[in-house]
Amino acid sequence: MSVPHKPLVYIISAPSGSGKSTLVNELLKTVSDLEFSISYTTRAPRGSETNGRQYYFISRPEFEKMIHEDQFLEYARVFEKDYYGTARRFLHEAERNGRDLLLDIDVQGAAQIQQKLPGAISIFILPPNRKTLEERLRKRSEDCDEVIQRRLTAATHEIENYDRYNYILINDQLEDSIELLRGVVRSERLLRGGRPLSSDEDKIVKLADCCRLANVRERLKPILDSFRTPGDSGGIDPR
Ligand code: ADP
Ligand code: 5GP
């Protein structure tokens, strides 16, 4: 009998507007056997979002029913408003299909998953500074001013959790970030594969190592400062 597949679970968190959806979409195009866990949420669809694609959009009573039925691996109220949750069935499906699972969840959800699945790999995406985050939120043109301000305030709190993550990715140049994110996913698969690595594979692991928390700490301070003192431009070139 074959050994059942134990999916690698990748958690990705980021302040809203950092570019997480953009990066995740690019990642899913080029990495095989990686399933995106579509979350349930009580928030309304934005822009061109459709039910069952970015999220399952459900009512609050429906969400609460799912909580009572213990259908969630984790769930949280985000921005002190709407519920978001990861259904357990996605983990079971990934297991059955021999695939790994990618969770795009907030810092509260990430903490719950890290407790339940200690082997999960966590990645935190940061914008280069606060000003850039605000520009990206405005450029996306999906939220009104009040919502943008709420997201910026939330970001200030969220980024303080960066050190609970295994990897930190500063999303400055999009192409570089895509390459790094792909590197992290592939590196973890290689490292857990338990076989000797070729020199090309070794390069992937080294690339991913650039994003390990211990290796980016120095570059984080000015980014964190730009959120702590928003009057500043946060002006650094993080490269
Ligand atoms: P999130 O999913 O984190 O809320 P999005 O992926 O929606 O963020 O990105 C927010 C906006 O920023 C989008 O308009 C996206 O095209 C843009 N964006 C994402 N990454 C970059 C980048 N590296 N450089 C410039 N713009 C970016
Ligand atoms: P948005 O409204 O911008 O799509 O998402 C807001 C926040 O909710 C993001 O930080 C996103 O990662 C988070 N989120 C999305 N799905 C889930 C989920 O299933 N669980 C948790 N805890 N957070 C989620």
Side-chain angles (χ1 to χ4, degrees):
M1 215 171 76
S2 64
V3 183
H5 173 71
K6 194 163 184 293
L8 291 186
V9 175
Y10 297 92
I11 303 169
I12 301 199
S13 302
S16 179
S18 304
K20 184 178 47 175
S21 313
T22 308
L23 290 172
V24 165
N25 288 336
E26 289 302 320
L27 180 75
L28 293 170
K29 280 185 203 164
T30 52
V31 174
S32 58
D33 295 331
L34 187 61
E35 207 140 297
F36 179 70
S37 160
I38 303 169
S39 296
Y40 286 79
T41 183
T42 59
R43 87 148 159 76
R46 240 180 5 221
S48 60
E49 287 179 335
T50 48
N51 190 40
R53 192 136 172 264
Q54 292 81 6
Y55 286 104
Y56 292 106
F57 297 98
I58 60 174
S59 67
R60 194 154 176 150
E62 284 170 323
F63 198 101
E64 283 165 353
K65 184 167 177 278
M66 287 182 72
I67 297 175
H68 288 305
E69 290 171 355
D70 197 26
Q71 288 196 43
F72 290 117
L73 192 57
E74 66 75 35
Y75 70 92
R77 265 185 87 193
V78 181
F79 306 135
E80 295 169 15
K81 197 167 168 273
D82 294 301
Y83 278 115
Y84 293 76
T86 306
R88 288 182 192 281
R89 70 181 165 84
F90 281 100
L91 188 59
H92 299 144
E93 276 170 25
E95 211 167 294
R96 255 199 319 273
N97 300 335
R99 293 163 71 102
D100 295 329
L101 191 63
L102 183 69
L103 309 182
D104 166 349
I105 58 179
D106 84 327
V107 294
Q108 306 171 75
Q112 294 174 43
I113 297 288
Q114 282 161 341
Q115 215 174 30
K116 286 183 185 159
L117 306 171
I121 301 132
S122 54
I123 305 157
F124 197 72
I125 296 170
L126 279 173
N129 53 57
R130 187 187 191 276
K131 189 162 160 273
T132 306
L133 180 65
E134 184 165 356
E135 283 165 7
R136 288 186 188 164
L137 284 167
R138 293 195 186 284
K139 191 180 98 187
R140 192 167 67 183
S141 314
E142 284 179 350
D143 299 309
C144 64
D145 232 43
E146 187 202 328
V147 173
I148 289 178
Q149 285 315 318
R150 206 187 310 139
R151 288 182 188 276
L152 285 168
T153 306
T156 306
H157 300 296
E158 282 163 359
I159 62 166
E160 298 295 338
N161 293 283
Y162 71 91
D163 61 355
R164 298 185 187 178
Y165 289 73
N166 303 124
Y167 295 93
I168 308 283
L169 207 161
I170 301 164
N171 179 21
D172 189 6
Q173 298 301 316
L174 188 57
E175 287 307 316
D176 295 347
S177 304
I178 295 167
E179 192 60 28
L180 285 169
L181 184 57
R182 198 184 295 134
V184 169
V185 170
R186 294 172 70 194
S187 167
E188 286 289 339
R189 283 180 171 175
L190 290 168
L191 291 172
R192 293 176 196 224
R195 60 165 175 81
L197 303 183
S198 69
S199 64
D200 279 351
E201 290 171 338
D202 211 41
K203 280 187 197 142
I204 296 171
V205 172
K206 287 210 169 69
L207 178 72
D209 279 348
C210 299
C211 299
R212 282 195 188 273
L213 175 61
N215 298 332
V216 284
R217 272 189 195 281
E218 278 303 302
R219 293 165 60 205
L220 292 180
K221 193 176 172 306
I223 300 173
L224 300 175
D225 284 350
S226 75
F227 282 87
R228 289 170 185 154
T229 48
D232 283 3
S233 67
I236 49 123
D237 181 345
R239 276 162 298 160

